[in-house]
């Protein structure tokens, strides 16, 4: 899937889709898109690469910490909330997502300097294409937020292999590639930050979310190692561990997060946070220089529990919850 141009204006899950393991079905369609880089503007009409675009400027309440940010998975859920949080702090943002319709609605919200780009990050060359779009839009990426991701629910041996490869490519390979390219540029400048979105799923093995949880283990380990590598050069790397959040993620995975649900679904309904809460905690933690950010009391309790409860026991507990769904 190729990227598509979109007009920026003022103004989160995954990228933003969730795969259902038993069928290998992606919850949101992956229709092919074609297009070119887009640009952002502030209170005036601007033109880049022959595409006239109109931007708007929101009133920032503080001086921007970063010259610009790139947020993947920015069309919905936590990624979208992170876009809004950064715009409110005066940071120009390039929001990338798979679904162009989500980006259209994001631009309609107004509130800051925003550029958008629809792109499938599992496609070869998509990372370079996205970074070229940032440059064309005049967005200097001093903050990289890797929020794009998908989940697979079900028995691992029943998962469609192509769907599994797409998930790993998005959750791990594309994220690693963006960290390498943008991280190298930030190191050369001697400033900037990377925020990678992992999950509390990375805290323990998760039966029926096995590959998804493993991909988030990768994100967490990579982030903590990069934090050490880049710190001497003035570059901060943080990892966010959200727990269950009120987004389309669980529904797309076939898990009913309602009060009358069973097992995982019932727990999800009780402990879920709003994306705006997660985003606010993430940015606050980022601005404080925290390397690990675990938002919400319940998620922090989970973080504590996994340090004292044997991993094998946690795995069995979550396995039984999954079977009761």
């Amino acid at each position: 899937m190729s990227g598509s141009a979109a007009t920026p204006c003022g103004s989160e899950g995954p990228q933003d889709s969730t795969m259902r393991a038993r069928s290998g079905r992606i919850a949101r369609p992956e229709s092919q898109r074609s297009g070119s880089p887009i640009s952002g503007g502030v209170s005036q009409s601007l033109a880049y690469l022959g595409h006239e675009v109109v931007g708007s400027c929101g009133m920032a309440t503080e001086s921007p910490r970063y010259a610009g940010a790139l947020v993947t998975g920015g069309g919905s859920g936590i990624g979208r909330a992170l876009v809004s949080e950064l715009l409110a702090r005066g940071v120009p943002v390039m929001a990338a997502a798979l679904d162009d319709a989500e980006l259209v609605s994001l631009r309609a919200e107004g509130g800051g300097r925003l550029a958008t780009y629809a792109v499938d990050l599992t496609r070869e060359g998509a990372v370079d294409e996205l970074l070229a779009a940032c440059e064309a839009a005049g967005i200097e990426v001093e903050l990289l937020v890797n929020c794009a991701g998908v989940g697979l629910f079900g028995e691992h041996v029943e998962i469609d292999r192509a769907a599994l490869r797409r998930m790993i490519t998005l959750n791990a390979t594309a994220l690693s590639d963006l960290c390498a390219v943008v991280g190298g540029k930030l190191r050369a400048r001697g400033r900037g930050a990377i925020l990678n979105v992992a999950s509390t799923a990375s805290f323990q093995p998760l039966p029926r979310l096995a590959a998804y949880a493993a991909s988030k283990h990768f994100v967490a380990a990579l982030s903590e190692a990069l934090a050490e590598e880049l710190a001497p050069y003035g570059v901060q790397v943080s990892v966010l561990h959200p727990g269950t959040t009120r987004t389309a993620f669980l529904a797309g995975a076939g898990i009913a997060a309602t009060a009358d649900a069973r097992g995982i679904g019932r727990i999800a309904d009780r402990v879920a946070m709003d994306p705006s809460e997660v985003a606010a905690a993430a940015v606050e933690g980022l601005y404080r220089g925290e390397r690990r950010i675990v938002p919400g009391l319940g998620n922090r309790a989970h973080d504590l529990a996994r340090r004292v409860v044997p991993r094998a026991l946690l795995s069995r507990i979550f396995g039984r919850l999954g079977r009761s769904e």
Side-chain angles (χ1 to χ4, degrees), residues 34-304:
S34 61
S36 55
I38 48 78
S39 57
V42 182
S43 299
Q44 59 181 325
S45 174
L46 302 176
Y48 290 90
L49 302 181
H51 295 274
E52 186 179 43
V53 297
V54 179
S56 63
C57 181
M59 297 301 293
T61 58
E62 58 185 274
S63 299
R65 173 72 66 91
Y66 305 104
L70 167 60
V71 181
T72 68
S76 67
I78 295 172
R80 187 181 184 119
L82 284 166
V83 169
S84 297
E85 186 71 25
L86 290 169
L87 289 171
R89 293 171 181 260
V91 180
V93 176
M94 167 66 83
L98 180 67
D99 191 340
D100 188 55
E102 293 176 344
L103 299 175
V104 170
S105 67
L106 178 64
R107 295 196 301 272
E109 292 180 358
R113 184 182 173 190
L114 172 68
T116 66
Y117 199 70
V119 64
D120 176 5
L121 288 173
T122 68
R123 182 174 50 79
E124 186 71 26
V127 166
D128 292 334
E129 178 185 304
L130 176 56
L131 294 176
C134 292
E135 184 175 355
I139 301 292
E140 182 182 357
V141 181
E142 283 193 350
L143 169 63
L144 168 64
V145 180
N146 280 307
C147 193
V150 292
L152 290 167
F153 179 78
E155 300 286 342
H156 186 74
V157 297
E158 298 176 9
I159 296 173
D160 177 79
R161 291 167 61 194
L164 182 62
R165 285 192 294 270
R166 288 195 298 272
M167 185 194 72
I168 294 172
T169 299
L170 179 61
N171 292 9
T173 307
L175 179 144
S176 176
D177 201 9
L178 278 164
C179 284
V181 178
V182 176
K185 294 179 179 180
L186 297 180
R187 185 180 69 172
R189 296 176 193 162
R191 66 181 187 276
I194 297 172
L195 174 63
N196 289 328
V197 179
S199 170
T200 56
S202 70
F203 292 171
Q204 68 287 300
L206 281 181
R208 293 170 189 79
L209 283 168
Y212 170 74
S215 73
K216 293 304 182 177
H217 279 289
F218 174 88
V219 174
L222 177 70
S223 300
E224 292 180 31
L226 281 177
E228 287 295 329
E229 292 181 4
L230 295 178
Y233 301 93
V235 179
Q236 176 187 344
V237 180
S238 299
V239 58
L240 172 67
H241 290 280
T244 305
T245 309
R246 293 185 179 92
T247 68
F249 186 88
L250 289 176
I255 301 173
T258 60
D260 59 351
R262 297 179 297 166
I264 292 177
R266 181 180 297 175
I267 295 173
D269 176 69
R270 291 177 178 176
V271 305
M273 294 179 67
D274 289 326
S276 59
E277 295 178 298
V278 175
V283 176
E284 286 293 337
L286 179 71
Y287 276 38
R288 287 195 298 266
E290 296 177 10
R291 289 190 177 185
R292 291 184 76 254
I293 305 167
V294 183
L297 182 60
N299 295 326
R300 289 193 289 274
H302 182 183
D303 192 23
L304 177 63

